[in-house]
Amino acid sequence: MIGRRRLAVALLGALAIADVPKVTARAATAQAQEALAPERTLQQIDLLLSRDDLPGAQTAVTAALGAHPADPALHNLAGVIDAQAGAYTSAESHFRTAIRLAPRGNAAYENLGRLYQERAASDPAARAKALEIYRRLLVVQPSNAEALYQAGFLLALGGEFASSRALLARLPADVGRLPHVLAVAATDSAALGDTGAAAQALRDLAAAPQLSDADVLAVIPAFDHVVDDEVLRQMLEALERRGLASREALQRLAGIHGRHHRYREARATLERAAAIDGGADVPLLLDLARAADKLDDHEGALGYLAHARELDPGNATVHFLFGIVCVEMNLGSEAYESLKKAVALAPDQPLVNYAMGAVSMHRHEPSESLPYFEKYTRLAPDDPRGRFALGVARFYCGQFDAAAGDLREAAGHTETAAGAHYFLGRLARQANDLETARRETGDAVRLHPGYADAWAELGLIQTRMGSYADAERSLGEATKIEPDNYAAAVNLAVLYGRTKDPRRDAHAARLEALQEHRAARAQEFLRMIDVVR
């Protein structure tokens, strides 16, 4: 049977012991051995390994190699012992020596391949090294099942799905029905657009008696190269139906639901994950908070975050997200305090500075926001949103010349152009340059027809220019987009006053109600905060 690749198989405890019988059997090689250790020596080392007596095994193999330095079986055993002891470089050297001495054997190839796979998380080149070793083994043993599977698995992780499937097709039928092989086969077929083969592999996988969540989790990196994650979702759900899904598997499934905006399913899956192994940890609570927030359950999100804050009070992300949810709930003081803590814990995190700037700008003194936005532009110089936010903050601080420079720069970028033209229009209006103000604000609504504040501003400018019919149309557009837009309501009151419109008294009552509901810049504030959500 193939040695299973269980999330980079735990080398070399179980694997080493499984491979020792192959080594001690002294498989025939194409190269004659001048000196081989006696059978009893190999058996003694095998016994010490089986008892986890690494010091004893190390002493025995060192002595045996002194007498038989060209014995490939001893070098393979020495590599096993070093790998279990964490001596990676020495283990690699011994396995390579064993391969050189016995190039047609399989044990050292397989152990070296597994050693490299174990190192893949910390060594970017290790996966390629492992694949090269398995390919070398297939040259001398074309039907070696371990090499066929592991090479196919590694090719799938690298996105080479056709080559992976070709290798898996060479496996014996009984091996091809093993769940870890079926997981790779389903991934290959899905990536290659062979929906029929993918569906069959999924059915076989779901029914496989030996299925475990490690079989599915192992292939997840391959989906970085697959457009559709539907097959992965079905594999993870097969685990859950059989009660085999670990917390990690459920979190992965929830992540898929979230990517497809199925937030209710994501939250329910995360709640099931939290019931495993003694309750939720901080990363899981953060995921739950994000799902709850997407469902507009802000109170629920704060509950998850408060729990996470109790577990890890020094976690900047927890304080950051707590502050953002408070913003959404219009809890300004709580948002400010939480984001202030986040900045203290992570002073060089760009989005933390941005959010703190946005919250500070809408407090009593807008100038408090300037250092945070200035820092954001230094930390994220390629993000025009930072320059736009800094321009807005300078506008509210009365630094109009500096604001104009920032806003003109932001106007050159698609994601900030509409907002920049809107504020440039406001600057021009304040300077009583109404023609420029109308042009800039017109650019804002042209670039973003759903920009209610810009329509409201355009209506005010048109009112001041005496274009009352145009003003009413613009303000009507603003209220159609956002019925409770405060700026539109204020500017409509100005228009009604100018034109002595009989609707002005009724509108005044409505405006008073809006004033009680929220401050003038609340919607604008939420739009700025949306950048970090």
Side-chain angles (χ1 to χ4, degrees):
M1 181 185 293
I2 294 174
R4 292 189 177 212
R5 175 82 173 111
R6 298 290 190 190
L7 293 178
V9 190
L11 187 80
L12 270 166
L15 284 176
I17 295 171
D19 283 339
V20 166
K22 300 177 187 175
V23 174
T24 55
R26 284 187 276 171
T29 70
Q31 177 177 332
Q33 307 295 309
E34 291 186 1
L36 290 172
E39 183 73 26
R40 62 179 179 276
T41 300
L42 298 175
Q43 291 175 345
Q44 178 193 11
I45 298 169
D46 184 6
L47 180 62
L48 291 167
L49 272 173
S50 69
R51 293 174 175 173
D52 293 327
D53 183 359
L54 289 184
Q58 183 69 68
T59 299
V61 82
T62 300
L65 280 171
H68 309 285
D71 188 329
L74 285 174
H75 280 286
N76 185 52
L77 278 170
V80 169
I81 294 164
D82 284 339
Q84 289 197 39
Y88 170 76
T89 302
S90 179
E92 178 186 30
S93 177
H94 279 298
F95 290 140
R96 286 196 171 275
T97 299
I99 290 169
R100 177 176 54 81
L101 293 171
R104 302 195 67 82
N106 66 294
Y109 287 102
E110 292 174 8
N111 277 332
L112 182 56
R114 295 164 187 161
L115 181 70
Y116 286 141
Q117 286 174 277
E118 274 293 303
R119 297 285 296 181
S122 58
D123 179 3
R127 190 179 290 168
K129 292 178 182 178
L131 181 58
E132 183 263 337
I133 287 297
Y134 290 125
R135 281 173 162 161
R136 285 177 58 187
L137 176 54
L138 288 171
V139 170
V140 296
Q141 294 187 13
S143 61
N144 183 285
E146 173 81 359
L148 287 169
Y149 166 70
Q150 298 290 8
F153 169 75
L154 291 168
L155 286 166
L157 295 190
E160 298 182 55
F161 299 108
S163 298
S164 171
R165 183 153 77 163
L167 289 178
L168 297 189
R170 291 162 53 185
L171 287 166
D174 60 333
V175 174
R177 289 191 293 271
L178 294 172
H180 55 291
V181 180
L182 289 166
V184 180
T187 304
D188 288 341
S189 297
L192 295 169
D194 189 344
T195 55
Q200 184 60 57
L202 283 168
R203 286 191 293 270
D204 293 342
L205 176 74
Q210 300 145 299
L211 177 65
S212 77
D213 79 327
D215 297 316
V216 176
L217 292 175
V219 299
I220 285 176
F223 281 86
D224 291 342
H225 310 283
V226 182
V227 174
D228 189 0
D229 55 14
E230 175 62 16
V231 164
L232 178 57
R233 179 186 69 80
Q234 292 186 48
M235 286 195 280
L236 291 166
E237 288 182 343
L239 290 174
E240 187 175 18
R241 283 195 301 272
R242 290 180 52 181
L244 299 172
S246 64
R247 175 181 289 191
E248 181 181 357
L250 291 173
Q251 285 182 267
R252 296 283 189 173
L253 178 57
I256 293 173
H257 286 314
R259 282 194 295 277
H260 293 276
H261 311 295
R262 298 190 295 265
Y263 301 116
R264 197 169 306 282
E265 292 90 338
R267 186 178 185 179
T269 303
L270 290 166
E271 290 283 10
R272 291 194 293 274
I276 297 174
D277 297 333
D281 56 12
V282 170
L284 183 51
L285 288 165
L286 292 178
D287 287 343
L288 278 163
R290 292 185 181 101
D293 188 55
K294 291 292 186 181
L295 292 167
D296 291 327
D297 180 7
H298 304 313
E299 291 85 356
L302 285 186
Y304 294 128
L305 292 168
H307 186 189
R309 191 170 57 184
E310 291 173 2
L311 294 175
D312 187 2
N315 189 311
T317 300
V318 173
H319 292 282
F320 169 70
L321 292 177
F322 194 98
I324 297 302
V325 176
C326 286
V327 167
E328 294 170 325
M329 297 178 71
N330 206 25
L331 302 173
S333 296
E334 291 85 348
Y336 177 82
E337 292 301 326
S338 193
L339 290 169
K340 188 175 180 180
K341 181 68 172 177
V343 169
L345 291 167
D348 294 325
Q349 213 292 329
L351 288 180
V352 171
N353 280 277
Y354 184 98
M356 187 63 186
V359 170
S360 301
M361 186 171 68
H362 294 273
R363 281 170 57 82
H364 306 298
E365 181 48 66
S367 62
E368 185 183 357
S369 69
L370 293 176
Y372 299 109
F373 286 134
E374 287 168 351
K375 189 165 188 178
Y376 182 81
T377 61
R378 293 195 301 273
L379 294 170
D382 296 328
D383 186 355
R385 295 172 300 183
R387 186 61 59 185
F388 170 69
L390 183 57
V392 173
R394 285 173 169 162
F395 171 85
Y396 286 124
C397 292
Q399 300 176 9
F400 298 133
D401 290 341
D406 292 325
L407 293 168
R408 277 192 287 270
E409 182 178 333
H413 299 273
T414 302
E415 56 266 59
T416 52
H421 284 296
Y422 164 69
F423 276 98
L424 285 167
R426 291 183 65 178
L427 281 170
R429 174 172 60 80
Q430 290 195 352
N432 209 33
D433 182 356
L434 296 182
E435 193 57 50
T436 298
R438 180 166 62 179
R439 185 182 70 252
E440 293 285 0
T441 312
D443 285 343
V445 297
R446 176 178 55 80
L447 291 167
H448 182 12
Y451 196 167
D453 284 350
W455 282 110
E457 178 67 16
L458 181 59
L460 176 61
I461 294 164
Q462 290 164 333
T463 297
R464 290 183 57 176
M465 296 179 77
S467 301
Y468 299 133
D470 289 339
E472 185 161 5
R473 280 193 294 271
S474 296
L475 293 168
E477 191 68 30
T479 54
K480 183 168 66 177
I481 295 166
E482 196 174 286
D484 293 333
N485 185 277
Y486 184 80
V490 169
N491 295 344
L492 193 58
V494 174
L495 174 64
Y496 288 165
R498 286 277 188 100
T499 59
K500 306 292 191 293
D501 193 293
R503 294 171 288 181
R504 61 184 177 180
D505 290 339
H507 183 72
R510 179 174 178 274
L511 179 58
E512 184 177 352
L514 282 176
Q515 286 172 324
E516 293 176 358
H517 185 249
R518 67 192 315 127
R521 286 183 272 156
Q523 285 298 327
E524 176 189 303
F525 174 36
L526 287 173
R527 275 189 286 274
M528 292 191 68
I529 280 292
D530 222 30
V531 170
V532 303
R533 285 155 62 185

